[in-house]
Amino acid sequence: MAQKQNNDEKSKLKRKQYMKELQRLQAELCHLQEWVKAKGRRIMIVFEGRDGAGKGGTIKAITERVSPRVFRVVALPAPSEREKSQMYIQRYMQHFPAAGEIIIFDRSWYNRAGVEYVMGFCTKEEHDHFLELCPQVEKYIVDGGIQLIKYWLEVSNNEQKRRFEARIDDPLRQWKLSPTDLPSRSRWYDYSRARDMMLKVTDTKVAPWYIVRSDNKKRARLNCISHLLSLIPYKKVKREKVKLLKRKNKGKYDDQATLKGRNFVPEKY
């Protein structure tokens, strides 16, 4: 009974406490951003996990206070007919980072190890070939100077069920339901086996997987950001002091009067 009470207490994280820690970590992400730009580093972060695991919310927490020119999120749609005829990883490679960039893949080439394999969008031979080549390709990526960080968000069966039910009933969340979401509920163990095969082959020393338990979204976001920061040896970059320039009065005129008669948005709020 005492153990259950301790677990319940641990699961609770007050919003004020969460926001305070999130803002602290987001400030560190801003320092990381300046360091990446200054050093010309190339970093690539892959987010994978079951449907409803919280990938989108975690990525949003990472990116909402930083520049989209440095932290770029890549969430590719289903491949076109032309892309289907290309080398499998080809459409992902064009989004790899240049100097001073951090690329976040909201799902990645690991689609082939998960949804494509489970839902029959690829053959068993294509799946096996992917698992065989993937560690070699990732070693090539890392040897090429890109820091590759891979996160798997692990959500429990009961929590995934609760989140799917919330999406069905809430019009603000219904857009999150994709055609593959509901079938994924009935094929839970198929996805588990696909995950296990993927981890067995691609959890390597060169490019290890880091698993984030995500039943508690707030804790998962904080844990993930804190861990991400620990993996990159960044330092605060000294910035030049900025002085705000005074407005010049040369050419002064009533620049509000010239807007009279234009179409303004009604101020309802």
Side-chain angles (χ1 to χ4, degrees):
M1 185 71 178
Q3 181 65 38
K4 183 179 185 300
Q5 186 175 358
N6 290 338
N7 290 336
D8 290 342
E9 289 175 357
K10 184 179 178 181
S11 68
K12 295 177 182 178
L13 186 64
K14 293 182 179 179
R15 177 172 175 77
K16 185 177 180 180
Q17 180 186 357
Y18 166 71
M19 291 304 300
K20 181 179 179 180
E21 187 62 13
L22 178 61
Q23 288 174 5
R24 184 188 72 80
L25 292 171
Q26 288 176 333
E28 290 300 316
L29 287 170
C30 290
H31 293 312
L32 168 63
Q33 171 180 257
E34 295 305 311
W35 180 82
V36 167
K37 288 165 56 180
K39 298 295 184 180
R41 290 293 295 269
R42 293 176 292 155
I43 299 173
M44 194 155 60
I45 308 167
V46 168
F47 278 95
E48 293 289 345
R50 299 179 191 272
D51 294 314
K55 296 180 292 297
T58 303
I59 291 171
K60 181 180 178 181
I62 292 172
T63 58
E64 65 182 345
R65 298 293 183 180
V66 293
S67 170
R69 295 182 181 88
V70 179
F71 281 79
R72 294 201 293 110
V73 179
V74 177
L76 299 184
S80 65
E81 289 303 314
R82 180 177 183 275
E83 288 172 330
K84 289 178 182 178
S85 70
Q86 295 174 342
M87 182 176 66
Y88 176 69
I89 201 171
Q90 188 172 338
R91 75 186 190 120
Y92 296 100
M93 292 181 70
Q94 61 184 308
H95 298 283
F96 282 13
E101 292 182 344
I102 299 173
I103 304 301
I104 298 176
F105 278 99
D106 184 355
R107 293 202 179 277
S108 65
W109 49 93
Y110 280 101
N111 275 341
R112 177 135 297 178
V115 63
E116 289 188 18
Y117 175 63
V118 174
M119 301 302 295
F121 300 149
C122 71
T123 66
K124 183 180 183 303
E125 290 72 25
E126 287 172 331
H127 175 256
D128 292 345
H129 189 56
F130 170 80
L131 291 181
E132 179 184 355
L133 292 181
C134 188
Q136 301 175 42
V137 173
E138 290 184 347
K139 184 178 186 305
Y140 178 78
I141 290 170
V142 173
D143 289 346
I146 294 176
Q147 183 173 359
L148 176 59
I149 301 169
K150 303 185 300 189
Y151 286 112
W152 174 271
L153 272 61
E154 180 68 14
V155 65
S156 68
N157 175 48
N158 289 338
E159 181 60 19
Q160 188 195 55
K161 179 175 180 291
R162 188 193 68 78
R163 292 178 186 178
F164 277 9
E165 289 172 343
R167 290 179 182 183
I168 292 172
D169 297 332
D170 187 348
L172 298 179
R173 301 181 188 179
Q174 287 172 356
W175 64 270
K176 292 185 175 182
L177 280 174
S178 72
T180 60
D181 283 352
L182 296 180
S184 73
R185 277 297 302 153
S186 63
R187 308 191 71 169
W188 174 271
Y189 289 111
D190 291 335
Y191 274 96
S192 294
R193 292 187 180 93
R195 176 205 62 196
D196 294 344
M197 284 189 285
M198 179 195 76
L199 292 176
K200 182 178 181 180
V201 176
T202 64
D203 186 13
T204 63
K205 289 184 179 180
V206 171
W209 279 102
Y210 298 103
I211 298 175
V212 182
R213 293 202 176 276
S214 62
D215 276 13
N216 186 307
K217 290 182 179 180
K218 292 178 182 177
R219 291 188 182 278
R221 293 166 190 167
L222 298 180
N223 288 332
C224 187
I225 298 174
S226 176
H227 182 264
L228 172 63
L229 291 167
S230 74
L231 294 178
I232 306 169
Y234 73 98
K235 295 181 180 179
K236 291 184 180 180
V237 176
K238 189 175 181 180
R239 303 188 66 182
E240 294 183 6
K241 290 185 177 180
V242 178
K243 185 177 181 181
L244 186 64
L245 299 177
K246 293 182 179 180
R247 184 184 64 177
K248 294 181 179 179
N249 286 324
K250 185 178 180 180
K252 180 180 178 181
Y253 74 106
D254 189 348
D255 59 353
Q256 292 301 300
T258 56
L259 296 176
K260 188 176 181 180
R262 300 294 181 186
N263 296 314
F264 281 84
V265 173
E267 297 183 2
K268 292 184 178 181
Y269 303 99

